[in-house]
């Protein structure tokens, strides 16, 4: 009896370990040489659930080369490896990435369990509070009552359960726009942009704003000291009040209807320039100009100072529906509503002040599927360019400088920012730097002291470090104070200067990053650029509610099926049926623990295969019980009948299960070739189930049966044969 006892101890340990694995939602073991991290706290028993059970996104991308031709197999294999690296770094739950077509021309990406979405929005002037935005997004107008809005680094972060993606046709054209775009327009319509305007003083004869003239350098004043030269500045409009009225500005408009004469020391009148007046514009005229461009709902009001007094020549206009900058087919910018309003008012009378607040400066959709799509589809090509800004001194001695009437302070601001001024003839343009994506050794999101918001830390190999050291050294020594422009996918991120050469091989990129965007950029840079262009041609979302309902029904069906099988086995086969029930319970627990540890992603087809494998495990126990019954009929003792019954049943069990395993291998191969994950999930789950059932049906059942035979129940031979069996009288009382 020692061997059955040792076997029982082994089975008890196996059962206890399996239960422990399933009882802990997440199994995490870290050692210096080996680590294990399995399980998902949000799923039942911590199992990894597939797209059809947990919900998620089904994305199909079409791959093309830059010249528009179809990508070849080598390019697509490179795409698959890069995407696997990206989504694994992103932390997506058991994604599926497959190549479709024969030959392959599409990429299938299945992202189970992705839920939630975030919208990061920044209003110019911080005119909208978090509570206001949250109330609007929760309202019936938007329909997201679950929305929560918080403030992070002066940005409003709205978190939602999900955002409906754009619905696309098979050719990639948009049928229904994304919900994020719809929400943005609703926000723009609900939170108007405020424009504060003031009209400039003009020449009443020409209707134009007079320009200041340089003082004449005549011989009469050649010997006069500076304090003796009389000059009259051109009148300027009043200071601009703040949008919230906290700073009323200068309430006194500059106006000279009949200017007093300015006299020199000898009482000779001095010409002080043209007479200027501030035109008397009414609210009705402003409204009429706005109605002319279709703004019938614009609200025009006067501006008050802190004392509540009306400030002359200042108006506040609420513009509803100011959209972001859009571009036409040829790349030209389309005037925004605010720009059209400015042109209409400027045509009414030249404007001196036009200041807006409340425009959306940032609208970034991330989190869940949106951030994953951003991660998958973009190439993340990082470019470094040395930008030679507009010169601080005139190119030719005697030229008016700075150009275009800019002040010295304005020129120092725009000469490195405005493309017009850092390109010839004012600047030297940009030169590429010999730093490639392959020169990056690492990129990761983080923070830096003194920098507000997340940054992307990067490090270079020896070649990249040397080049970066050279360019930062040149910039730090340049008398023109040039900058290093950093571009991501052709879009400028930041253009910093350098006070010293950076030669340690490390740097960081900062910009208008959210935490998720910084992580995404770092993953893209670390994984490399895609060798082809990916175009999203199909997107299908599986509702998490549908997945949960399918899982619940599948679990109920499995429990009912297992319960009926156990009842039948116990009632018909008696003690062998009871042993089979124990073996099936052990089988189910061990199999689920293996699924969690491997891990195996359970799909609906996988659950079906799991239930089917239970039937195969029962089939093995039925063969053993029938063989044991035949040996008892032949007059063998109980222990001898059990041993012989197991030995004779084994070839049938082995051959049947091996044939099933071969079928699973064929199904898995075909599923891989055809890109059908449902077939693969079914084949994998069934194959593992069959292997485990062979262990429990033969080894576990044998140990338990022999252990029971050694007890007092072993004297009741009729309890070891099915109901209705006869011919066992000769076995009663027989020895081994």
């Amino acid at each position: 009896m020692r061997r059955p006892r040792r076997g029982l101890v082994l089975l008890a340990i196996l059962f206890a370990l399996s239960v422990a694995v399933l009882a802990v939602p997440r199994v995490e073991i870290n050692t210096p040489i080996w680590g294990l991290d399995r399980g998902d706290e949000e799923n039942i028993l911590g199992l990894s659930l597939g797209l059809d059970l947990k919900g998620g996104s089904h994305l199909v991308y079409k791959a093309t080369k830059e010249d528009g031709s179809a990508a070849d197999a080598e390019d697509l294999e490179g795409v698959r490896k890069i995407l696997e690296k990206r989504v694994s770094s992103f932390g997506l739950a058991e994604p599926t990435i497959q190549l479709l077509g024969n030959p392959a021309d599409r990429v299938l990406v299945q992202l189970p369990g992705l839920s939630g979405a975030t919208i990061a929005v920044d209003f110019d002037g911080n005119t909208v509070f978090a509570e206001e935005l949250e109330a609007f997004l929760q309202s019936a107008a938007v329909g997201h009552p679950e929305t929560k809005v918080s403030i992070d680094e002066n940005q409003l972060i709205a978190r939602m359960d999900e955002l409906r993606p754009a619905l696309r046709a098979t050719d990639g054209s948009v049928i229904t726009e994304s919900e994020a775009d719809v929400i943005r327009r609703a926000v723009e319509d609900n939170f108007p942009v405020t424009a504060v305007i003031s009209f400039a003083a003009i020449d009443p004869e020409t209707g134009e704003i007079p320009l200041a003239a340089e003082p004449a350098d005549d011989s009469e004043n050649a010997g006069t000291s500076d304090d003796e030269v009389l000059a009259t500045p051109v009148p300027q409009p009043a200071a601009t009040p703040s949008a919230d009225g906290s700073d009323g500005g200068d309430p006194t408009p500059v106006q000279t209807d009949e200017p007093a004469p300015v006299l020199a020391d000898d009482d000779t009148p001095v010409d002080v320039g043209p007479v200027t007046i501030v035109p008397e514009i009414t609210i009705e005229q402003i409204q009429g100009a706005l109605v002319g461009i279709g703004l019938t709902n614009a609200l025009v009001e006067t501006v008050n100072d802190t004392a509540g007094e009306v400030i002359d020549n200042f108006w506040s206009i609420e513009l509803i529906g100011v959209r972001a900058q859009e571009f036409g087919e040829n790349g030209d910018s389309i005037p925004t509503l605010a720009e059209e309003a400015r042109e209409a008012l400027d045509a009414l009378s030249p404007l001196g002040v036009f200041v807006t607040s409340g425009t959306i400066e940032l609208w970034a959709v991330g989190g869940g599927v949106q951030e994953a799509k951003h991660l998958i589809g973009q190439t993340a090509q990082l470019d470094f360019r040395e930008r030679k800004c507009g010169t601080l001194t005139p190119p030719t001695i005697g030229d008016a400088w700075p150009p275009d009437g800019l002040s010295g302070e304005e020129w120092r601001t725009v000469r490195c920012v405005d493309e017009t001024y850092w390109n010839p003839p004012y600047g030297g343009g940009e030169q590429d730097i010999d730093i490639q994506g392959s020169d990056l050794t690492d990129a990761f999101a983080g923070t830096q002291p003194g920098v507000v918001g997340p940054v992307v830390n990067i490090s270079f190999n020896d070649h990249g470090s040397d080049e970066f050291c050279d360019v930062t050294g040149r910039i730090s020594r340049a008398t023109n104070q040039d900058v290093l422009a950093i571009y991501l996918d052709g879009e400028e991120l930041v253009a910093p200067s350098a006070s010293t050469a950076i030669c340690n091989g490390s740097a960081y990129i900062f910009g208008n990053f959210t935490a998720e965007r910084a992580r995404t950029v770092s993953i893209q840079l670390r994984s490399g650029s895609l060798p082809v262009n990916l175009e999203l041609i199909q997107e299908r979302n599986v509702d998490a509610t549908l997945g949960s309902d399918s899982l619940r029904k599948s679990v109920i069906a499995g429990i009912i099926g297992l319960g009926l099988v156990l009842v039948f086995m116990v009632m018909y086969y008696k003690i062998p049926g009871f042993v089979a029930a124990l073996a099936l319970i052990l089988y189910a627990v061990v199999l689920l623990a293996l699924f969690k540890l491997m891990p195996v992603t359970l799909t609906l087809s996988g659950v079906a295969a799991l239930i089917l494998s239970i039937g195969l495990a029962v089939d093995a126990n039925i063969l053993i019980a029938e063989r044991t019954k035949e040996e008892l009929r032949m007059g063998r003792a109980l222990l001898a009948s059990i041993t012989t019954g197991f030995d004779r049943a084994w070839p049938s069990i082995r051959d049947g299960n091996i044939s099933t395993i071969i079928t699973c291998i064929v199904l898995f191969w075909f599923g891989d070739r055809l890109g059908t994950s449902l077939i693969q999930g079914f084949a994998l789950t069934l194959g593992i189930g069959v292997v485990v059932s062979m262990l429990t049906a033969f080894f576990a059942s044998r140990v338990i049966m022999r252990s029971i035979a050694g007890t007092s129940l072993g004297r009741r031979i009729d309890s070891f044969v099915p109901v209705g069996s006869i011919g066992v009288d000769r076995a009663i009382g027989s020895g081994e």
Side-chain angles (χ1 to χ4, degrees), residues 16 28 41 156 163 344 389 427 471 481 499 555 602 650 652 696 718:
E28 187 173 5
E41 296 179 357
L156 299 178
L163 287 174
C389 305
V471 67
Q481 299 176 4
S499 59
V555 171
L602 275 180
W650 170 245
S652 299
T696 57
D718 57 335

Side-chain angles (χ1 to χ4, degrees), residues 48-53 601-608 677-678 681-682 685:
S48 297
L49 303 181
L51 195 68
D52 50 359
L53 293 181
T601 301
L602 275 180
T603 62
L604 196 57
S605 61
V607 174
S677 58
L678 293 177
F682 179 86
T685 307

Side-chain angles (χ1 to χ4, degrees), residues 83-104:
L83 292 186
E84 284 181 345
K85 188 176 182 180
R86 287 185 179 183
V87 297
S88 296
S89 300
F90 191 67
L92 302 183
E94 299 302 324
T96 299
I97 302 175
Q98 296 177 336
L99 303 182
L100 303 179
N102 190 16

Side-chain angles (χ1 to χ4, degrees), residues 558-582:
I559 293 175
I560 293 175
L562 180 61
L564 291 176
V565 169
L566 296 181
V567 170
F568 168 77
M569 292 295 293
V570 172
M571 292 183 63
Y572 186 78
Y573 285 100
K574 302 178 183 178
I575 290 180
F578 175 75
V579 172
L582 294 179

Side-chain angles (χ1 to χ4, degrees), residues 587 604-614 681-687 689:
Y587 160 78
L604 196 57
S605 61
V607 174
L610 174 62
I611 296 174
L612 178 60
S613 65
I614 293 176
F682 179 86
L684 179 64
T685 307
L686 181 59

Side-chain angles (χ1 to χ4, degrees), residues 90 117-118 159 365-368 371 454 513-521:
F90 191 67
T118 60
R159 291 177 172 81
V365 181
E371 193 68 19
F513 287 140
T514 62
E516 287 180 337
R517 180 61 179 148
R519 181 177 66 157
T520 300
V521 170

Side-chain angles (χ1 to χ4, degrees), residues 438-470:
S438 57
D439 293 323
L440 283 176
T441 58
D442 195 13
F444 58 94
T447 58
Q448 286 289 337
V451 178
V452 178
V455 302
V456 177
N457 298 280
I458 56 177
S459 57
F460 302 99
N461 58 16
D462 292 340
H463 174 265
S465 179
D466 292 341
E467 291 292 330
F468 196 72
C469 178
D470 290 342

Side-chain angles (χ1 to χ4, degrees), residues 347-616:
L348 176 65
S349 182
L351 287 170
V353 174
F354 187 93
V355 180
T356 60
S357 60
T359 56
I360 296 180
E361 294 187 328
L362 170 68
W363 182 272
V365 181
V369 178
Q370 302 297 330
E371 193 68 19
K373 288 195 299 183
H374 193 86
L375 173 71
I376 291 169
Q378 288 202 346
T379 59
Q381 183 64 47
L382 192 66
D383 294 326
F384 295 87
R385 304 174 193 173
E386 184 178 357
R387 179 181 297 173
K388 297 187 178 299
C389 305
T391 60
L392 292 171
T393 57
T396 304
I397 297 177
D399 288 350
W401 205 256
D404 298 339
L406 297 172
S407 66
E409 183 179 351
E410 290 172 336
W411 175 246
R412 285 189 293 272
T413 301
V414 302
R415 70 185 191 90
C416 291
V417 176
D418 193 325
E419 186 176 356
T420 302
Y421 297 124
W422 54 255
N423 273 323
Y426 305 110
E430 290 183 338
Q431 288 78 42
D432 291 333
I433 301 171
D434 187 21
I435 299 179
Q436 309 298 326
S438 57
D439 293 323
L440 283 176
T441 58
D442 195 13
F444 58 94
T447 58
Q448 286 289 337
V451 178
V452 178
V455 302
V456 177
N457 298 280
I458 56 177
S459 57
F460 302 99
N461 58 16
D462 292 340
H463 174 265
S465 179
D466 292 341
E467 291 292 330
F468 196 72
C469 178
D470 290 342
V471 67
T472 52
R474 288 196 301 271
I475 290 175
S476 64
R477 294 189 299 270
T479 58
N480 199 45
Q481 299 176 4
D482 296 329
V483 298
L484 174 64
I486 303 176
Y487 291 83
L488 180 67
D489 294 334
E491 182 178 342
E492 182 180 324
L493 283 179
V494 66
S497 182
S499 59
T500 183
I502 303 174
C503 300
N504 60 357
S506 299
Y508 61 87
I509 306 170
F510 65 92
N512 202 6
F513 287 140
T514 62
E516 287 180 337
R517 180 61 179 148
R519 181 177 66 157
T520 300
V521 170
S522 65
I523 292 172
Q524 290 173 310
L525 295 177
R526 191 165 61 245
S527 61
S529 300
L530 293 171
V532 297
N533 297 322
L534 292 182
E535 179 186 1
L536 183 63
I537 61 174
Q538 182 182 352
E539 180 175 358
R540 177 169 56 88
N541 281 356
V542 177
D543 187 15
T545 302
L546 176 62
S548 300
D549 185 61
S550 299
L551 178 62
R552 180 180 59 83
K553 291 180 179 179
S554 299
V555 171
I556 292 175
I559 293 175
I560 293 175
L562 180 61
L564 291 176
V565 169
L566 296 181
V567 170
F568 168 77
M569 292 295 293
V570 172
M571 292 183 63
Y572 186 78
Y573 285 100
K574 302 178 183 178
I575 290 180
F578 175 75
V579 172
L582 294 179
L584 283 177
I585 294 174
L586 176 65
Y587 160 78
V589 173
V590 172
L591 184 61
L592 292 176
L594 282 177
F595 284 169
K596 183 174 180 177
L597 293 176
M598 292 181 67
V600 173
T601 301
L602 275 180
T603 62
L604 196 57
S605 61
V607 174
L610 174 62
I611 296 174
L612 178 60
S613 65
I614 293 176
L616 297 176

